[in-house]
Amino acid sequence: MGSFYTNVQVRTTDQAAVAAAVQRFAEASGLDLIDDDAAADRTIVIAPAGAWSAIYDQGTEDQDDRKLAALATAVSACGPAVGVLIHDSDVLLLQLCRDGAVIDRYVNAPGYFGRVSKAEQATTRGDAARWSELLVAGATPATLRAAWDDRPSFAEAQLARIGELLGWSEGAAGVGHTHLGDEPPAGAIALRFRLRARPLHEQHATGAPRFMRGAYNPEIELAVGDLLTLRCSVISTGGPARGLVLAVWGPAIDQALIAPREVTIARTRGDARLTWTAPLVREGGAWFARLADCEVPAGLVSLDAVARAPAGTTRAAREAWHACAVDATITGAVAAAGDGSLHIGFVPGGDRDGQMSHTIHLRVSAPLRRPSRARAEAPSHALRPLAVPGTGFALIALDVGGRTGPARAEVNAALVAAIERWHGVVGDDDGSYQLVWSRSAAHELIQRTSKARRLSTSKAWREIAPALAEVRAFSAELGRSPRFEDRHDFGRGFSVNRARVDEDDAAGDRDAATDPALPHLGLWCGIAALAPEAREARIAALRAIVDEVVARVPVAQAMVGRWAWAPQFMSGTTAYEHACGITGDDTGRQRWCRRYLRGVTGDGVWLGPDLQRHLPEGALAAAGAVRVLDRGVACVTAGPTDADLDRAEAALAPVLPSAGDRA
């Protein structure tokens, strides 16, 4: 998640004048100046910032650029003012104001929130000449224009460069009110205001209790043997009540797909989390829980209370809205395979007129296969990626860390050759690749788009291809299907990952020379919609590419498989490791990759010499069909059935990972 903040920079050192302008602005907006910090609805801080004064307004932190412009224009009577907004580290907005009006705007990404016309883009390009008198000595409008046109991955970096040209104090424009903490900066003036008219989120409904639908998941996949955990909520829109009845019924109950046992109701009151628990009891064709002591909160008088929250009160309005929520967690067992709808009804205080219900479609599969080292409590959502053959993939751990490995050029050539061959297999269509990469431990991201048909000759590929062996992370992806039935299809793409773990190296927490993060090459494509022969052709192509990489550079291990998973950008643990309870990023390091397999599949597992040393004689042959390749690497193909995988895991047990090994 990126940064979000706002501020206003005013070209004056007269903070008292700025404070007076801020007070006039606030009073005209329906606010009164007060001394009681606890009673304040909005706080505005004016801080010294060299030749400028910086304003940090609690009321503009909701990212509404109109509120920011209103403040900036109000204080521009004291001197030229610039409203600054950073959104998710992606968007930079600058509003130049003079004499009560916005005279220029610059936005680095005008189409970020949707398509805009060329005319609209022209209004956000910025006119550097209008900023000329604000520039430091030696800077020119052309210099500012260059800073605007340079688009680093993070908007904060661009803002810092622009700030240098405008003479802003270091860091003064790089924070917002939310970053200040409880104490304002040294020498700052803090003005606290309270609304004259109390906002809607402080006004609660009266009368009979009423519910409206809250959060829920409309479609859920489960497997026989799972512990049932279903969560949903309703929002109170009526008066308060005591007592709640929760009912569970529908085809999923009639077919005995699940056996609900207990419900826990929870709600928030102030800083406290209140809970009530009751058993679910079968009554006819439904299950009921009666919670006589449950306190149903009053709703707000308006459903628009958050949208209409005055500046500075948005957070309080959201908290008030969340306090109206009644959350339910239903637990039990998943008993039988099948598809069916489940209805969950909430009845407040025995008033049937105020009830509300959810309908959740359950898809329950037969028990899923568990890897031999999987956690006993591993839920089906951790196992399902291994059981659903939605995406064909290859993951190759290149054993090229340290100082004794092959030259970087050899590694790069192997990576480029493998990716270009895979692109030749899957990439020849009218789609576009989204290319993302990071060269530094700080993960400054570079993003490009390339038509799939022209990838190998595109400017973006020519830019990144010579440096693949050096990147921390790289990925090129074609879109995946958003449809529910195809959500195990991860589209098409390829990646080189050596991500995140090297941040520890930079901090000195790890010795990268003795346990380096190995580059992992990932290739994948969705196969669920393909005809069987096309599906097998893709898997065969992946096997051939792995063999080619093994022939060119040392490989610690590799695998080809078909899971509902893909080795995407900055991926950490594999789906197999996740099912085994392994978390973190050290599984991409040399020590781990030479000691433990990152997965077992039926389509092919390649083991380097170091892994093989931990196996007894005959283990590879017992695991499946064996091929011995260059550099002592052995490929084991176990076969497609669960029995084949059980046999392979039993034979390869000494190199299979578990959560205890991660520790």
Side-chain angles (χ1 to χ4, degrees):
M1 182 175 177
S3 295
F4 299 81
Y5 57 82
T6 59
N7 58 73
V8 176
Q9 304 294 313
V10 190
R11 184 64 174 270
T12 181
T13 57
D14 190 348
Q15 293 175 63
V18 175
V22 167
Q23 183 174 345
R24 290 192 297 271
F25 164 76
E27 290 174 345
S29 302
L31 295 156
D32 290 326
L33 185 67
I34 63 170
D35 294 325
D36 185 0
D37 187 26
D41 294 312
R42 182 172 178 179
T43 301
I44 304 177
V45 176
I46 301 98
W52 297 70
S53 293
I55 303 175
Y56 306 106
D57 182 3
Q58 183 181 6
T60 61
E61 292 290 73
D62 62 1
Q63 300 274 295
D64 187 333
D65 62 323
R66 294 167 298 181
K67 296 176 184 177
L68 183 65
L71 174 62
T73 54
V75 299
S76 65
C78 303
V82 181
V84 177
L85 182 150
I86 291 284
H87 179 86
D88 203 14
S89 296
D90 291 326
V91 179
L92 168 62
L93 165 68
L94 300 175
Q95 303 166 323
L96 176 60
C97 304
R98 292 179 188 270
D99 302 320
V102 178
I103 65 168
D104 195 37
R105 295 176 77 241
Y106 168 76
V107 183
N108 69 332
Y112 184 87
F113 297 103
R115 186 181 297 276
V116 296
S117 67
K118 290 184 177 180
E120 290 175 296
Q121 290 186 39
T123 66
T124 61
R125 187 173 183 272
D127 182 353
R130 296 189 175 188
W131 301 66
S132 57
E133 70 178 68
L134 302 178
L135 298 172
V136 298
T140 66
T143 313
L144 180 60
R145 179 78 264 165
W148 283 344
D149 291 342
D150 181 27
R151 308 288 173 82
S153 298
F154 294 104
E156 299 98 307
Q158 186 180 25
L159 175 61
R161 174 56 182 151
I162 294 168
E164 292 174 359
L165 300 177
L166 296 171
W168 290 344
S169 295
E170 184 176 358
V175 295
H177 186 277
T178 54
H179 299 91
L180 298 183
D182 296 331
E183 294 296 327
I189 300 171
L191 302 178
R192 299 171 180 86
F193 300 95
R194 183 170 175 81
L195 290 162
R196 294 188 201 110
R198 302 316 302 156
L200 290 173
H201 64 262
E202 292 184 1
Q203 303 174 42
H204 289 86
T206 58
R210 292 287 184 274
F211 284 148
M212 64 176 286
R213 189 169 289 116
Y216 76 108
N217 189 342
E219 297 177 281
I220 297 176
E221 285 187 320
L222 299 166
V224 174
D226 274 353
L227 297 175
L228 177 68
T229 303
L230 300 175
R231 295 183 175 89
C232 58
S233 68
V234 290
I235 305 295
S236 175
T237 60
R242 191 171 188 86
L244 176 74
V245 176
L246 185 133
V248 181
W249 75 99
I253 295 294
D254 300 338
Q255 300 173 47
L257 302 184
I258 61 170
R261 293 170 182 160
E262 189 176 77
V263 63
T264 296
I265 300 297
R267 55 160 291 212
T268 299
R269 185 171 65 194
D271 294 331
R273 185 71 170 166
L274 309 179
T275 60
W276 298 266
T277 299
L280 281 156
V281 179
R282 186 90 185 228
E283 299 179 18
W287 295 76
F288 293 88
R290 291 177 167 81
L291 301 101
D293 295 330
C294 178
E295 300 173 9
V296 176
L300 301 181
V301 294
S302 172
L303 298 180
D304 296 329
V306 175
R308 295 168 60 185
T313 67
T314 301
R315 179 175 178 179
R318 288 173 179 157
E319 290 175 351
W321 178 260
H322 291 318
C324 298
V326 177
D327 305 321
T329 301
I330 298 168
T331 56
V334 181
D339 285 11
S341 295
L342 182 72
H343 309 299
I344 303 172
F346 296 73
V347 183
D351 188 339
R352 295 176 64 89
D353 291 337
Q355 67 183 316
M356 177 55 64
S357 65
H358 295 287
T359 297
I360 300 174
H361 186 76
L362 302 183
R363 299 186 179 199
V364 184
S365 67
L368 300 177
R369 180 185 179 275
R370 290 177 174 269
S372 62
R373 299 291 175 85
R375 299 166 293 161
E377 70 279 10
S380 62
H381 67 75
L383 304 175
R384 183 164 283 104
L386 306 179
V388 180
T391 300
F393 72 91
L395 181 65
I396 311 169
L398 281 63
D399 200 354
V400 295
R403 299 174 181 173
T404 60
R408 203 172 288 267
E410 295 178 54
V411 177
N412 208 82
L415 292 171
V416 170
I419 288 172
E420 290 188 344
R421 175 165 178 182
W422 181 238
H423 167 66
V425 173
V426 301
D428 190 17
D429 65 10
D430 293 327
S432 293
Y433 282 111
Q434 300 299 318
L435 284 75
V436 183
W437 67 89
S438 169
R439 290 194 178 98
S440 68
H443 297 305
E444 182 174 351
L445 302 182
I446 302 170
Q447 304 182 51
R448 301 285 188 271
T449 300
S450 174
K451 292 291 185 182
R453 287 187 183 277
R454 299 194 298 270
L455 176 72
S456 58
T457 59
S458 70
K459 179 180 178 181
W461 182 241
R462 292 197 305 270
E463 182 179 357
I464 185 58
L468 281 178
E470 302 174 13
V471 297
R472 289 297 194 275
F474 161 74
S475 181
E477 301 183 23
L478 284 163
R480 60 185 291 183
S481 171
R483 294 185 300 162
F484 178 80
E485 61 269 25
D486 294 334
R487 68 199 180 285
H488 304 303
D489 180 337
F490 280 71
R492 286 168 281 174
F494 39 89
S495 65
V496 177
N497 277 302
R498 184 163 39 187
R500 289 187 286 192
V501 291
D502 277 5
E503 290 182 299
D504 292 338
D505 297 339
D509 296 336
R510 282 277 193 158
D511 186 352
T514 59
D515 191 18
L518 300 183
H520 282 61
L521 172 62
L523 312 168
W524 70 91
C525 72
I527 59 174
L530 299 179
E533 60 274 13
R535 204 176 301 156
E536 297 308 317
R538 296 287 172 89
I539 297 299
L542 289 167
R543 288 197 195 100
I545 292 172
V546 175
D547 286 349
E548 290 178 4
V549 174
V550 168
R552 300 184 69 151
V553 293
V555 167
Q557 61 173 282
M559 59 178 164
V560 168
R562 42 190 112 189
W563 296 341
W565 177 83
Q568 294 172 299
F569 182 67
M570 294 174 68
S571 55
T573 53
T574 66
Y576 187 93
E577 290 166 336
H578 180 64
C580 294
I582 299 164
T583 59
D585 301 298
D586 284 356
T587 55
R589 291 189 177 275
Q590 188 178 67
R591 197 170 293 158
W592 181 274
C593 292
R594 288 180 174 182
R595 179 61 184 87
Y596 299 109
L597 284 172
R598 303 202 62 190
V600 176
T601 72
D603 292 305
V605 177
W606 286 253
L607 297 86
D610 289 284
L611 277 167
Q612 294 177 48
R613 291 190 188 101
H614 296 282
L615 295 172
E617 185 176 352
L620 294 178
V626 180
R627 294 185 295 122
V628 179
L629 308 173
D630 297 276
R631 307 174 192 273
V633 175
C635 174
V636 176
T637 304
T641 69
D642 286 354
D644 292 331
L645 291 173
D646 291 342
R647 184 185 69 251
E649 285 192 317
L652 299 174
V655 293
L656 297 185
S658 66
D661 298 321
R662 175 66 177 81

